[in-house]
Amino acid sequence: MAKVPSAVVAAGGLVGGYGVARWTKKRQLGGAVLAVAGAAAARQWRERAGGPAAGALAATYVVAFAGSHPLAKKVGAWPAVLGVAGVVGLASWAVADRRG
């Protein structure tokens, strides 16, 4: 069975975490989705690109999550989440998935 690319896992974690939090009105549940996807992506990043790259991508994931909040005040919630998910997905593909 083929692995899901880490770019999809990471971007999906950001989008899915926000979607779950919004639709269930339970921020903690959305945070759990975000954390589980982030951990799964980080494992893949470490396996595919090594520890330093995994650390940099994990930092990008966290900064993207945090940055989506002020960005949402300017462009709206969904555009902000989709934008940062795209950035994280692209970075993940470029660093870890492109080689495979």
Side-chain angles (χ1 to χ4, degrees):
M1 185 165 92
K3 279 189 172 182
V4 176
S6 63
V8 173
V9 174
L14 289 162
V15 173
Y18 173 69
V20 166
R22 182 174 176 135
W23 290 315
T24 65
K25 301 196 185 323
K26 297 186 188 302
R27 293 178 70 178
Q28 298 86 350
L29 191 55
V33 170
L34 180 80
V36 168
R43 191 177 115 261
Q44 288 181 310
W45 294 330
R46 189 180 68 246
E47 289 172 358
R48 296 177 185 174
L57 288 168
T60 302
Y61 187 78
V62 171
V63 167
F65 166 69
S68 69
H69 292 82
L71 183 60
K73 293 179 181 178
K74 296 180 189 266
V75 300
W78 277 113
V81 170
L82 294 173
V84 299
V87 168
V88 169
L90 183 60
S92 180
W93 174 81
V95 173
D97 295 335
R98 180 175 53 167
R99 300 174 189 171

